[in-house]
Amino acid sequence: MGVGPGDPEFLTLRACRVIETCATILHAGARDDSGFALEIIASRLRIDQTVRGMGLAMRRGADDGTIGYERVARTLLEEAGAGRDVAYLTEGDPMLYGSGSYIAEVLAALAPEATVEVVPGVSSLAAAAARLGWPLAQKDQMLTICPATYHVDEIGAILDRGGMSCWLKAADVLPRLAEELRVRGLYGRAAVVERLGRPEERVFRDLDAALAVDLSYFSLALVR
Ligand SMILES: C[S@@+](CC[C@H](N)C(=O)[O-])C[C@H]1O[C@@H](n2cnc3c(N)ncnc32)[C@H](O)[C@@H]1O
């Protein structure tokens, strides 16, 4: 289930109904009571609901997440098998680089007979475009969405294609992105948003300011 990028008001009505009806809620956080997606729905939870943090790694590492996804899928099946409605939370939209997309695939393989619903959510890039007032794409414009950490050496080539570009997982590679923008005269055409929709949200319309701080994993850059 997608819970949007951070602002609880970006939860869909469907997501709210699912939260209300589920006995058990799973999320990626390391602890049962903390996690980015959990924070977004926290005020909607009741005392009789069980919340479990599944400890999935966020940043890139040795584990590509596969083991964790199967563990979550099996937990979902165990809960459902015990007669409890259960949901797994994904920030943003589950089908856009979301752990929920893998878990839905694992579930389909493990239990093709199970009833699985994917609830879409507002993605971070849609919310960033709205926050900045920058259209994501218009008319014939191309939009490139790049998980930046995985394509550091392609940043220049992607910028050369033109159009809008959205750089997810950008915190660790922002200096490189900035450099590639500078040599192309695009430095002033980028903005960075961090933890959009949360009380601690930061919006940088100036790359120098973004480069001067330690950005969290929940940051993205838009270039127009
Ligand atoms: C694994 S991807 C998940 C994307 C998510 N499923 C979506 O639809 O937005 C994680 C990346 O999304 C971006 N992101 C997610 N939530 C964000 C937020 N509230 N503010 C800024 N960037 C966010 C960051 O670039 C982060 O590294």
Side-chain angles (χ1 to χ4, degrees), residues 5 91-93 96-97 123-124 168-169 195-196 217-219:
E91 45 87 19
D93 179 76
L96 186 75
Y97 302 112
S123 84
S124 56
L168 299 176
K169 309 178 188 182
R195 299 180 78 93
L196 197 65
Y217 168 77
F218 292 101
S219 309

